[in-house]
Amino acid sequence: MSKQTLIVIGNGMVGHHFLEQFVQTPAADSYQILVFGEEKQLAYDRVHLSEYFAGSSHADLAMGTADWYDANGIDLHLHEQVIAIDRYNQVVSTPKGVYQYDQLVLATGSYPFVPPIAGNDHNGCFVYRTLDDLDAIRASANTAKTGVVVGGGLLGLEAANALKSLGLQTSVVEFAPRLMPVQLDDQGGALLRHKIEELGVQVHTEKATTAIVPGTESRLRMNFSDDSHLETDLIVFSAGIRPQDTLARDCGLDVGERGGIIINNQCTTSDAHIHAIGECALWNNRIFGLVAPGYTMARTLAAALNNDAEAAFTGADMSTKLKLLGVDVGSIGDAHGQTAGARNIRFHDEQTGHYRRMVVSSDGQKLLGAILVGDNSHYDTLLQYALNGLDLPSNPEVLILPESEGGAPTLGADALPDTASICSCHNVTKGDICGALDAGCTDLGGVKAETKASTGCGGCTALLKKVVDSELEKRGVEVCTDLCEHFPYTRQELFHLVKVNGIRTFRGLLNQYGKGQGCDICKPTVGSILASCWNDHILATDHVPLQDTNDTFMANMQKNGTYSIVPRIPGGEITPDKLIVLGEVAKEYNLYTKITGGQRVDLFGATLSELPEIWEKLIAAGFETGHAYGKSLRTVKSCVGSTWCRYGVQDSVGMAILLESRYKGLRAPHKVKMGVSGCTRECAEAQSKDFGVIATEKGWNLYVCGNGGMRPRHADLFATDLSDEALIQAIDRIVMFYVRTADRLQRTSVWLENLEGGLEYLKQVVLEDSLGIGAELEQHMAEIVDTYQCEWKTAVEDPEKRKRFREFVNAPEQKDPVQQWTSERGQRRPVLEVVSS
């Protein structure tokens, strides 16, 4: 019996997923499969397209291999565009020939919408869709200084992130009054804009571009309908997509009034032999622009071609969880509250920059939708309430409040029903995960391989791990301690690999010991490890994409978009001349000044472009960075000690200065604070610090692993009556042992609590050298001390690094025209927005 022919037009993510599903079905044996793709490359992951600029190659993004197609008997035709469909004769034509089909699948996707603007075809204008597009953008960016993205939606902000990663001063131009108008409301869009502008990307909303003409200071000039303009060197159009339905139109298939190939619930078009899936398909008058609905269509069609009577596409959840330009954004269900009787509950914390909105049913029993900006930690819990119709608690606001304000903890994996959807891309439920574990999977990797969960957009990774860990514990299986899906190692093991093998870049570590592109878990963790090992500058080329905002700009970002500057004042000791300089600088730049709890002076209200200028003035006066922005040593607090105090028995100020000078700049898993008291009256509060030193008549008592904060912990007495040399040796060893063995973002207090053997074990390692690594730990610390650099000084003296602090396109000296200020107790502070919901 001869085989029928199945032709798939389109080799993108959805087309490839259809093939993966179909070849595993019985019907696949009855077909000869041909696939046609316009691009030269095999199907690749467009969701993570921007990572191409971060060093990823096509091979890194590829979704399959040529060998896989061969092994499954698929005849692959790359770089061969189908130009016509003859429905009467059931053939497709390409420039290379004519091919007969029995069943035809259109997975042609979409194309970028380019607004009909005069001049949109200039050499400096691009779209953001394929690897070839990105190659063209990168080539142009090599000789450019500025770039503009037209479009403030999901794809537009991804494109803006890409331009920023290329070192361009980046702007976003959006026609709507806010960013991401489909997913966010006015408050969420305003906060997202604020956060993005804090990162140096300028946002222009309610702008209609009328023409693109040659510029005077830059290559191009965008003229707007309000008579304003913007000059730039290149423009990327990312203003939405349109279904790629030309083939369908030309052959007479039914298409929507505004585009899209009309399909039924089985993904079949008006021709029973032709089917459509993905962004080219119009179902119930809707185009779905996310990968998850496309995958659902692919699975539906694969089942329908196997005569599955229950196969049906009935819509898809369009919830999204993203990190755009480093900012968490989440949108769930009916985010805009369009359901009749819907009610809203909002939480807006201006201090932290977090906005959360819940849309609940009229009776308050069900969650209909949600919006999150600034913090997605509540996303998984809210999504499960929405998707599974779970009854809300009697006080539903606890689901979006911080725990410190009465908020409820996240929904545990045990509370989810087996029908709970964990991965919407591949339609994987909690029951599917349990089934995979029952069938023999013993770790997260095995579950992912079996179910495909978290291999689509990746948004469910954290929830998937929680479910797998919970179910493994129930089965008595030891839970995997891998850092994340990209590195099958703990942080401690990665530290060892980096140190022993001399690895100095994230890409180098990923290529040698990891896989994929990395994520928000491993990138900052590896960045911390690299800094701890090699003390490279925080703005080293490979380090920048790994850092959060504070590290990136070496200053603490405040809620109004300005920055605070904290110069180091070792031990709290400062000369009158230096105090005068701090006052002069604060007065010149109109900065709010505050004495911190760590005996330093904090200068608030500096703009991004002012940072290098202020640093230069402070450096000239003998100051250096205080590392208030980093996971590093913050301060060493001290009393006045024996120099002045009649109770002091040791020079606490001198010791504090010695400790701060020794450990400054060291990157650690979390921030580290120290204190030195000159007697047992404990005026420096040393016993609430990570490392506390208290003077005795015979030397120093050392206390370790205390902390203040939300869960205070009293430090433990580690050793008594230590000499100066013995004290330094002990702290050297403990600090480096902590740096090597702690988990990511783990304070010393939690580290000690989790350390097998606890305090006694730590004493054996440090004081008795039970592991034989004492000298090695001391040597590593010596290397850190010897390679110290003031990160401010390095940044201001390097022209390329200094470019990162230019704030406005075409006008680097311009100040923020939007920010409003007021006076409080004689000092300037930002006007705070009053929110009432």
Side-chain angles (χ1 to χ4, degrees):
M1 179 178 176
S2 61
K3 289 187 175 183
Q4 298 185 74
T5 300
L6 170 67
I7 290 181
V8 178
I9 303 177
N11 188 227
M13 295 180 71
V14 173
H16 179 79
H17 187 69
F18 166 75
L19 294 171
E20 286 184 319
Q21 301 302 305
F22 186 68
V23 296
Q24 300 179 50
T25 67
D29 293 335
S30 303
Y31 286 95
Q32 169 64 39
I33 305 173
L34 284 75
V35 178
F36 293 89
E38 289 185 27
E39 295 186 66
K40 300 175 184 178
Q41 302 96 342
L42 281 166
Y44 53 87
D45 184 355
R46 295 185 196 274
V47 174
H48 298 96
L49 194 61
S50 60
E51 295 176 5
Y52 189 60
F53 285 145
S56 297
S57 64
H58 169 260
D60 296 322
L61 298 173
M63 304 188 68
T65 64
D67 289 342
W68 180 86
Y69 283 83
D70 289 340
N72 286 282
I74 300 172
D75 187 4
L76 180 62
H77 296 252
L78 293 178
H79 204 211
E80 185 173 351
Q81 181 181 5
V82 174
I83 56 178
I85 300 172
D86 180 348
R87 291 168 54 199
Y88 181 78
N89 294 303
Q90 291 188 203
V91 297
V92 300
S93 300
T94 78
K96 297 182 180 180
V98 176
Y99 304 85
Q100 184 83 35
Y101 70 83
D102 294 288
Q103 298 290 336
L104 178 64
V105 178
L106 298 176
T108 48
S110 62
Y111 64 89
F113 169 65
V114 177
I117 302 167
N120 63 13
D121 56 351
H122 275 286
N123 287 337
C125 295
F126 306 91
V127 294
Y128 189 85
R129 189 63 175 168
T130 68
L131 292 180
D132 288 341
D133 294 334
L134 268 61
D135 284 335
I137 293 170
R138 179 157 47 193
S140 180
N142 287 334
T143 55
K145 294 181 179 179
T146 59
V148 169
V149 175
V150 177
L154 296 177
L155 296 178
L157 295 180
E158 280 289 334
N161 186 52
L163 294 190
K164 193 170 183 290
S165 73
L166 293 174
L168 301 183
Q169 296 179 55
T170 304
S171 296
V172 174
V173 173
E174 168 59 43
F175 178 76
R178 64 175 182 270
L179 295 175
M180 293 181 64
V182 175
Q183 290 82 12
L184 301 182
D185 58 12
D186 288 340
Q187 283 179 281
L191 179 58
L192 177 61
R193 173 178 183 160
H194 185 67
K195 284 180 169 289
I196 287 175
E197 289 187 327
E198 286 173 346
L199 299 174
V201 175
Q202 294 307 303
V203 178
H204 307 266
T205 53
E206 297 184 274
K207 292 290 185 181
T209 308
T210 57
I212 299 172
V213 299
T216 55
E217 298 180 2
S218 302
R219 298 173 189 167
L220 301 171
R221 169 172 162 152
M222 303 174 68
N223 292 329
F224 301 129
S225 59
D226 60 3
D227 294 329
S228 63
H229 69 273
L230 179 65
E231 292 209 359
T232 183
D233 291 321
L234 66 86
I235 298 171
V236 175
F237 290 103
S238 190
I241 59 172
R242 296 293 184 267
Q244 188 66 270
D245 57 12
T246 303
L247 286 172
R249 288 178 181 274
D250 290 347
C251 73
L253 290 176
D254 290 348
V255 297
E257 183 178 347
R258 301 183 61 184
I261 308 166
I262 296 175
I263 61 171
N264 61 17
N265 287 5
Q266 287 68 46
C267 300
T268 300
T269 70
S270 54
D271 184 322
H273 297 280
I274 303 179
H275 320 273
I277 54 177
E279 293 173 340
C280 66
L282 181 71
W283 177 86
N284 200 23
N285 207 33
R286 292 186 67 187
I287 295 289
F288 295 88
L290 298 177
V291 68
Y295 280 3
T296 303
M297 291 181 188
R299 290 191 296 271
T300 299
L301 179 57
L305 291 175
N306 278 267
N307 299 316
D308 183 346
E310 297 182 359
F313 177 79
T314 56
D317 174 53
M318 295 295 284
S319 301
T320 54
K321 179 173 71 170
L322 306 156
K323 186 177 283 289
L324 299 168
L325 288 156
V327 180
D328 281 348
V329 177
S331 179
I332 296 172
D334 180 13
H336 293 284
Q338 296 176 340
T339 303
R343 295 155 56 191
N344 296 286
I345 303 172
R346 289 182 173 90
F347 170 80
H348 192 174
D349 185 346
E350 292 180 328
Q351 179 68 28
T352 60
H354 295 166
Y355 173 69
R356 296 189 274 276
R357 171 185 177 183
M358 292 172 59
V359 180
V360 302
S361 58
S362 57
D363 60 4
Q365 296 296 307
K366 303 294 182 182
L367 180 67
L368 305 177
I371 291 174
L372 306 169
V373 178
D375 175 23
N376 271 339
S377 62
H378 299 255
Y379 180 89
D380 289 339
T381 292
L382 294 174
L383 181 65
Q384 292 306 317
Y385 272 100
L387 289 184
N388 297 293
L390 302 178
D391 286 338
L392 291 169
S394 57
N395 50 341
E397 67 275 6
V398 300
L399 296 179
I400 58 174
L401 286 174
E403 289 190 41
S404 60
E405 297 184 26
T410 57
L411 191 66
D414 290 345
L416 298 176
D418 283 349
T419 56
S421 175
I422 305 302
C423 173
S424 57
C425 288
H426 293 278
N427 194 31
V428 181
T429 65
K430 179 183 175 183
D432 295 329
I433 294 167
C434 293
L437 293 171
D438 292 338
C441 292
T442 58
D443 57 19
L444 180 63
V447 170
K448 292 175 69 173
E450 177 67 23
T451 65
K452 300 296 183 183
S454 189
T455 61
C457 72
C460 63
T461 301
L463 180 58
L464 174 65
K465 188 175 190 310
K466 288 180 183 177
V467 173
V468 171
D469 288 353
S470 174
E471 292 300 321
L472 285 174
E473 288 178 355
K474 288 180 182 178
R475 291 160 172 76
V477 178
E478 184 177 354
V479 174
C480 173
T481 58
D482 292 355
L483 180 66
C484 67
E485 61 181 292
H486 303 104
F487 288 102
Y489 303 96
T490 63
R491 181 194 176 279
Q492 180 179 356
E493 291 167 338
L494 284 178
F495 186 100
H496 180 76
L497 292 172
V498 167
K499 187 67 177 175
V500 171
N501 295 285
I503 298 172
R504 289 182 174 268
T505 66
F506 176 78
R507 179 59 53 185
L509 182 66
L510 191 68
N511 290 342
Q512 195 166 349
Y513 294 104
K515 61 182 179 180
Q517 307 306 309
C519 64
D520 294 329
I521 294 175
C522 61
K523 284 182 177 179
T525 302
V526 173
S528 171
I529 292 172
L530 293 172
S532 298
C533 284
W534 313 119
N535 234 11
D536 285 339
H537 192 271
I538 203 69
L539 296 188
T541 302
D542 188 70
H543 291 193
V544 171
L546 311 180
Q547 310 301 336
D548 64 17
T549 302
N550 290 346
D551 267 324
T552 298
F553 297 116
M554 296 178 289
N556 285 343
M557 183 175 64
Q558 303 303 315
K559 62 184 178 182
N560 67 320
T562 61
Y563 294 82
S564 68
I565 298 170
V566 187
R568 187 172 299 285
I569 302 178
E573 182 181 85
I574 187 169
T575 65
D577 285 340
K578 284 189 175 181
L579 275 174
I580 289 171
V581 170
L582 290 178
E584 289 174 340
V585 169
K587 190 172 182 179
E588 178 180 352
Y589 291 90
N590 202 7
L591 305 177
Y592 175 98
T593 56
K594 171 76 169 64
I595 305 297
T596 73
Q599 299 177 332
R600 301 196 290 194
V601 179
D602 207 337
L603 308 174
F604 291 88
T607 65
L608 184 66
S609 60
E610 288 173 339
L611 291 178
E613 301 172 14
I614 296 173
W615 294 340
E616 283 180 321
K617 295 179 185 296
L618 295 176
I619 291 167
F623 289 103
E624 60 187 10
T625 173
H627 288 94
Y629 47 83
K631 298 296 185 285
S632 54
L633 176 70
R634 296 293 177 87
T635 64
V636 182
K637 187 175 182 179
S638 73
C639 63
V640 297
S642 59
T643 306
W644 296 98
C645 180
R646 58 197 174 105
Y647 298 107
V649 294
Q650 299 287 351
D651 179 9
S652 58
V653 179
M655 178 54 70
I657 293 173
L658 175 62
L659 294 176
E660 190 157 350
S661 298
R662 182 169 184 80
Y663 302 118
K664 62 185 179 183
L666 170 72
R667 297 289 166 153
H670 212 293
K671 62 185 177 183
V672 175
K673 296 182 180 181
M674 299 185 182
V676 183
S677 288
C679 72
T680 55
R681 289 173 178 263
E682 248 283 69
C683 293
E685 303 166 331
Q687 293 177 79
S688 65
K689 302 293 190 287
D690 296 276
F691 293 87
V693 179
I694 301 177
T696 70
E697 294 286 352
K698 299 179 181 180
W700 306 97
N701 285 353
L702 175 60
Y703 292 79
V704 298
C705 302
N707 65 257
M710 294 180 65
R711 194 166 71 93
R713 183 185 190 278
H714 200 279
D716 292 317
L717 179 62
F718 185 79
T720 60
D721 298 328
L722 297 173
S723 66
D724 290 4
E725 294 75 15
L727 176 67
I728 296 297
Q729 182 188 61
I731 296 177
D732 277 359
R733 291 183 177 186
I734 299 171
V735 168
M736 291 315 304
F737 193 53
Y738 163 63
V739 167
R740 290 188 175 200
T741 61
D743 203 353
R744 66 186 190 93
L745 300 179
Q746 191 174 55
R747 291 294 299 267
T748 57
S749 56
V750 179
W751 169 68
L752 182 61
E753 291 170 358
N754 293 339
L755 195 64
E756 190 173 348
L759 183 65
E760 292 306 313
Y761 172 70
L762 185 60
K763 288 180 179 180
Q764 292 170 8
V765 172
V766 173
L767 301 177
E768 302 172 18
D769 197 13
S770 61
L771 299 180
I773 60 172
E776 181 184 341
L777 296 175
E778 293 172 36
Q779 177 60 33
H780 189 177
M781 180 60 76
E783 292 170 359
I784 296 295
V785 173
D786 291 342
T787 56
Y788 169 78
Q789 59 182 310
C790 173
E791 292 171 350
W792 288 352
K793 188 173 187 292
T794 302
V796 298
E797 292 178 350
D798 186 327
E800 289 303 313
K801 291 182 174 61
R802 191 157 181 159
K803 285 181 181 179
R804 296 186 61 80
F805 301 92
R806 292 184 298 194
E807 194 162 17
F808 286 82
V809 175
N810 299 328
E813 75 286 350
Q814 184 181 347
K815 308 305 180 188
D816 189 342
V818 177
Q819 179 60 55
Q820 300 296 312
W821 300 86
T822 188
S823 178
E824 183 169 299
R825 293 181 293 278
Q827 296 201 77
R828 187 182 74 158
R829 69 156 176 81
V831 174
L832 304 181
E833 174 192 5
V834 178
V835 178
S836 60
S837 296

